[in-house]
Amino acid sequence: MTAVLNDSSAPSTDSLVIAPIAGYIGAEVSGISLEHELSVDVQAALRDALYEYKVLFLRDQKIGHAEQIRFTGYFGPVTPAHPLGYTDKSPAGFPEILEVDSRIYAKRSGSSKYSYASFWHQDVTALINPPAVTVLRGELVPEVGGDTTWADLGAAYDNLPASLQRFLEGLYAENRFGGRTPRWAGGSESESLTQETRIVSEHPVVRVHPVTGQRLIYVNPGFTSRIIGVSPRQSDKILDLLFEEITDPAYTVRIRWTPDSLGIWDNRATIHQAPTDLDHLDVVRVLHRTTVEGDVPVGVSGERSRSIHGSEFRAPAPA
Ligand SMILES: [Fe+2]
């Protein structure tokens, strides 16, 4: 199904088209340009589409950092780039932009990987209030390979048997940078920063989405380190099961980056994986990330996440 909304306050050529591209999540958006301010009707339609399709993709958007930050702001307050103090995290004048650059990633992690995080994760769930929404804009993308894949945490929950759903609903999981097995090298910037700035939270394993009310499996291999209240062996078995469920190819959408393309996703309801098919190629991949301030997760019976280390990550107060 394709939704069309004419935008009366913007140039007459603007008409929003939202075309789903996979069975559970993902839609391509066309008919709008982010070079200028969008009308409040189009902004609202984009928010509705984001909550319905969870991942939206826009192409041929020749915009810069300022326009990306303005677009991100349609979905909520825009946070600083990252809670860890990376020395080279933002371009001058744009503290909201996190550079997702294969060269920077290699320096931070001591790894030769070509992307920021080539493993399944949600963004920054170590925080007590992980980002609600993430925007990623491609500047230099490879001609071949380098796709990003997202999966639907709601579908993963919905398709569990009721007995397993009930079992999970009382559980909490610890989230920290690195998850069960940190992927950075010893002595790397990532290792030292995560030791200097401890950020650890315990989230409900089943989270209720604050907008849609959908129940979501809320663990991810990038950050979830253990299930609280069970033995290490039991925790590993439970997480193995959940990680397999949430990364089932049935729940995914895989999207190909093109120059000037931009992806936006509901970071509460999806998990994503940066490319793993570039490690052997000599390519540079540069994207720019922005995030929207998140809320503190709430579980099925109303219980909230618990902060072990660190404080809420907020957008700056309006000037
Ligand atoms: Fe990410």
Side-chain angles (χ1 to χ4, degrees):
M1 184 180 298
T2 299
V4 178
L5 179 81
N6 291 320
D7 177 8
S8 58
S9 67
S12 58
T13 52
D14 274 7
S15 62
L16 178 64
V17 178
I18 297 163
I21 52 174
Y24 280 104
I25 56 170
E28 294 253 5
V29 175
S30 57
I32 57 172
S33 168
L34 305 186
E35 291 179 43
H36 56 79
E37 180 99 47
L38 299 177
S39 72
V40 291
D41 286 348
V42 169
Q43 294 177 30
L46 287 171
R47 284 192 291 272
D48 290 346
L50 180 65
Y51 294 128
E52 180 170 1
Y53 298 110
K54 301 181 180 176
V55 182
L56 303 179
F57 221 73
L58 293 82
R59 300 193 184 277
D60 303 317
Q61 301 292 330
K62 296 186 186 307
I63 61 171
H65 297 317
E67 291 79 12
Q68 177 178 346
I69 293 164
R70 179 177 64 193
F71 174 74
T72 307
Y74 297 154
F75 301 87
V78 183
T79 68
H82 200 277
L84 296 182
Y86 291 122
T87 54
D88 49 11
K89 64 182 177 181
S90 298
F94 299 101
E96 302 91 343
I97 299 282
L98 179 77
E99 298 287 28
V100 181
D101 182 321
S102 50
R103 297 160 298 187
I104 294 175
Y105 182 76
K107 183 169 78 71
R108 284 180 191 153
S109 66
S111 157
S112 62
K113 301 289 185 185
Y114 276 96
S115 64
Y116 183 63
S118 298
F119 45 88
W120 284 101
H121 66 282
Q122 293 166 278
D123 289 328
V124 210
T125 58
L127 288 166
I128 183 66
N129 66 325
V133 172
T134 301
V135 175
L136 196 57
R137 178 170 61 91
E139 181 180 324
L140 277 177
V141 297
E143 290 186 15
V144 174
D147 301 357
T148 299
T149 306
W150 290 263
D152 183 354
L153 296 171
Y157 173 87
D158 291 343
N159 289 312
L160 288 177
S163 56
L164 261 180
Q165 292 175 338
R166 300 292 94 73
F167 167 70
L168 297 175
E169 284 169 6
L171 296 178
Y172 273 80
E174 180 186 82
N175 284 248
R176 60 172 64 238
F177 283 92
R180 285 194 290 190
T181 310
R183 293 158 180 82
W184 51 71
S188 65
E189 182 183 22
S190 292
E191 183 184 71
S192 60
L193 282 176
T194 51
Q195 289 174 353
E196 287 167 17
T197 307
R198 294 186 70 196
I199 303 175
V200 181
S201 300
E202 293 176 355
H203 298 306
V205 169
V206 179
R207 178 181 186 178
V208 180
H209 194 288
V211 177
T212 66
Q214 188 178 30
R215 295 180 182 185
L216 313 155
I217 298 179
Y218 202 65
V219 295
N220 71 86
F223 287 91
T224 306
S225 47
R226 65 188 176 98
I227 301 290
I228 305 298
V230 300
S231 73
R233 178 177 57 81
Q234 292 162 342
S235 172
D236 278 341
K237 297 292 186 189
I238 295 168
L239 287 178
D240 287 345
L241 170 71
L242 295 180
F243 292 166
E244 189 172 331
E245 291 296 326
I246 61 180
T247 58
D248 186 327
Y251 309 139
T252 64
V253 61
R254 176 171 174 155
I255 300 180
R256 170 141 191 73
W257 293 93
T258 47
D260 304 315
S261 54
L262 179 145
I264 175 169
W265 62 91
D266 185 335
N267 190 54
R268 298 177 285 213
T270 58
I271 188 171
H272 58 281
Q273 183 186 39
T276 55
D277 62 345
L278 297 178
D279 297 357
H280 63 299
L281 301 176
D282 184 20
V283 297
V284 174
R285 183 174 179 268
V286 179
L287 306 97
H288 309 285
R289 193 186 88 174
T290 41
T291 49
V292 170
E293 180 180 298
D295 50 319
V296 175
V298 175
V300 172
S301 60
E303 73 278 19
R304 287 161 56 91
S305 296
R306 306 184 285 240
S307 177
I308 306 304
H309 295 286
S311 53
E312 293 193 14
F313 187 55
R314 295 293 184 199

